[in-house]
Amino acid sequence: MAAFPPEKLSLDPAFPSSPSSSRGRLGALSDAYNRFSSWRSTLGLSNPGSVENLQKEVKNTHLTNFFFDGARADLMKGLSMDPAFQVTHSFSLASQTLPPTYSFGAVFANQQMFLQGNIDNEGNLSGRLNHGWTPTSVTKVQSQLSSTPGHSMIQVEHDHQGADYSVNGKAINPSLTDGAGIYIGSYLQSVTRNLAVGVETLYQRSPVDSEISTSYLAKLTGTDKNWIATAHFQPIGVLQATYWHKLSEKVDAAADLQVIAAPARRDAIATLGAKWDLRMSTFRAQLDSTGKVSALLEQRFAPTFSFTVSGEIDHFKNAAKVGVGVMIESSSLTPEEMGMVPPPL
Amino acid sequence: MPSEETKERIIRAVDFGRTVLHYGWIPFIIYVGYTRSNPQPSLIKLMSPLA
């Protein structure tokens, strides 16, 4: 009992100082943070681009994403320029792998919103909605709806691009009742002016079990941005390495190496491709280690009419594919409204 | 953890939402595009591939 008063006394002078000391600690913390962020900004790092777009240049140079076979016609109709609104009727037939289809698409876009929908003759709908809260922070919803049960998919995603980093969070088919689904988080950070490193974590959850896997990313950019090398490594034994080089104003070349060294399967595929951008046409050529040689030519005859030819020869399987396509753009707008002709002074 | 009844209700609501989205998404885009376009297009030009 007798020990209380002196202790209280000794505490008392500390009491008024304790809020200021906690403020001091917070102040020191925010000071340290401010110093850290100002030091970070003096490094002059630029945004590394999103994880999704890590291999964008390579994918744009290679023709894998552009290739088609059979015959195709796209009738595009621009109805408004600002906000952008267009509808598309696409017909495709005589493909070796796909049945003939007709699909109707509509796109609407203004400064913040992007709405897109596409429906085919079997009633399968694919839709996309992007909403930009600020220019660097975008929420995206993608969905595929089909009348066949089990084929529907929805993906909700938020993308944030900071001054020197990018963060992205995704949920694929999240269930509201038991939390099942696939969740993906990724982070990419510029470390020097040329190098960016990142991680991507995938969390797959079902009512019975859950699984986490993490993969690692690296992106090396040339100082004058004319070449990019990327690597994506998954610890289960999958490595994808790409290299893209802008050889001149009109020529891009890209290489892609995919190595699978899992215990169950060992495989590697290398792809080499080039793209030429000419005045009225684009030509892509590609060669890969599975023996496929392919080429695609997009020729624009008029601003509203373009013609596409594609071909692929599989030397190992002795098979070939050919595709022809036309794209016609029509517009209900006058040239002045489209902004193609400068308005008279 | 929600009760079985609530779960059932959520599942039914999600199913209903999916059906609405399936049939309503393209008409919704066309409605938004049609009402906000500048200048407003005519409906026949909007739908027909040939007009």
Side-chain angles (χ1 to χ4, degrees), chain A:
Chain A
M1 276 305 211
F4 261 107
E7 217 176 84
K8 208 176 177 187
L9 266 177
S10 71
L11 270 173
D12 264 345
F15 247 103
S17 76
S18 82
S20 74
S21 86
S22 84
R23 202 180 301 136
R25 219 172 293 150
L26 270 181
L29 209 69
S30 76
D31 213 40
Y33 178 74
N34 287 338
R35 252 182 298 152
F36 175 71
S37 48
S38 69
W39 167 75
R40 198 161 136 175
S41 60
T42 57
L43 292 174
L45 301 174
S46 58
N47 182 280
S50 70
V51 170
E52 197 183 354
N53 287 342
L54 194 69
Q55 292 150 358
K56 187 181 79 183
E57 287 82 6
V58 172
K59 282 179 183 157
N60 193 31
T61 306
H62 283 170
L63 61 84
T64 316
N65 289 335
F66 300 91
F67 186 81
F68 64 95
D69 74 326
R72 211 171 72 172
D74 292 300
L75 302 166
M76 223 160 75
K77 204 176 293 179
L79 295 158
S80 167
M81 288 298 279
D82 185 32
F85 180 45
Q86 65 178 49
V87 292
T88 317
H89 300 268
S90 313
F91 305 86
S92 100
L93 72 157
S95 163
Q96 289 176 19
T97 46
L98 300 165
T101 53
Y102 162 75
S103 73
F104 174 79
V107 179
F108 175 81
N110 62 17
Q111 296 298 322
Q112 283 119 38
M113 279 284 232
F114 173 80
L115 305 171
Q116 189 245 326
N118 206 322
I119 193 154
D120 72 4
N121 55 330
E122 282 166 9
N124 299 316
L125 173 84
S126 69
R128 193 186 269 268
L129 182 153
N130 293 3
H131 185 266
W133 307 96
T134 68
T136 56
S137 196
V138 183
T139 298
K140 301 174 186 174
V141 181
Q142 250 182 75
S143 141
Q144 245 147 48
L145 298 171
S146 151
S147 27
T148 326
H151 280 71
S152 298
M153 186 277 267
I154 188 159
Q155 171 180 314
V156 184
E157 168 181 3
H158 187 81
D159 200 61
H160 179 75
Q161 312 227 316
D164 59 356
Y165 67 94
S166 303
V167 200
N168 179 285
K170 257 183 225 169
I172 302 169
N173 280 342
S175 161
L176 295 174
T177 47
D178 51 10
I182 300 173
Y183 304 88
I184 303 171
S186 62
Y187 183 81
L188 191 65
Q189 167 80 51
S190 291
V191 182
T192 69
R193 275 169 206 238
N194 302 111
L195 180 69
V197 290
V199 284
E200 184 172 67
T201 297
L202 186 146
Y203 174 53
Q204 189 165 12
R205 192 176 147 158
S206 70
V208 279
D209 66 340
S210 59
E211 192 185 310
I212 289 189
S213 64
T214 302
S215 56
Y216 305 92
L217 312 146
K219 181 179 185 181
L220 195 59
T221 312
T223 309
D224 37 5
K225 302 228 184 287
N226 62 350
W227 61 268
I228 296 169
T230 72
H232 185 174
F233 175 68
Q234 289 167 271
I236 53 162
V238 179
L239 173 76
Q240 185 169 25
T242 68
Y243 179 73
W244 171 84
H245 200 128
K246 197 167 188 61
L247 297 168
S248 77
E249 202 50 48
K250 287 177 174 167
V251 188
D252 293 6
D256 174 303
L257 175 68
Q258 203 161 5
V259 182
I260 301 169
R265 188 171 161 231
R266 294 170 70 82
D267 203 0
I269 299 172
T271 311
L272 199 62
K275 180 175 86 140
W276 285 263
D277 278 313
L278 304 167
R279 197 173 60 86
M280 289 290 267
S281 63
T282 306
F283 180 67
R284 290 181 174 89
Q286 182 177 309
L287 171 69
D288 74 15
S289 63
T290 61
K292 283 182 191 159
V293 183
S294 40
L296 181 111
L297 172 73
E298 282 175 60
Q299 173 76 46
R300 201 166 267 279
F301 289 112
T304 58
F305 179 69
S306 73
F307 182 73
T308 314
V309 192
S310 68
E312 180 190 277
I313 301 173
D314 192 328
H315 283 285
F316 293 174
K317 287 185 190 146
N318 245 335
K321 282 178 185 168
V322 186
V324 261
V326 285
M327 196 163 86
I328 300 165
E329 281 174 54
S330 64
S331 177
S332 59
L333 303 173
T334 62
E336 284 83 8
E337 280 168 341
M338 288 200 288
M340 285 172 72
V341 178
L345 294 169

Side-chain angles (χ1 to χ4, degrees), chain B residues 2-5 7 11 13 15-22 25-26 30-31 33-34 37 40 42-43 45-46 49-50:
Chain B
S3 73
E4 284 301 315
E5 200 182 324
K7 268 190 191 175
I11 289 170
D15 260 353
F16 178 69
R18 186 159 54 201
T19 313
V20 168
L21 204 64
H22 197 158
W25 182 243
I26 297 268
I30 289 180
Y31 172 75
Y34 182 68
S37 277
Q40 202 167 67
S42 69
L43 270 177
K45 276 190 174 157
L46 192 73
L50 301 171

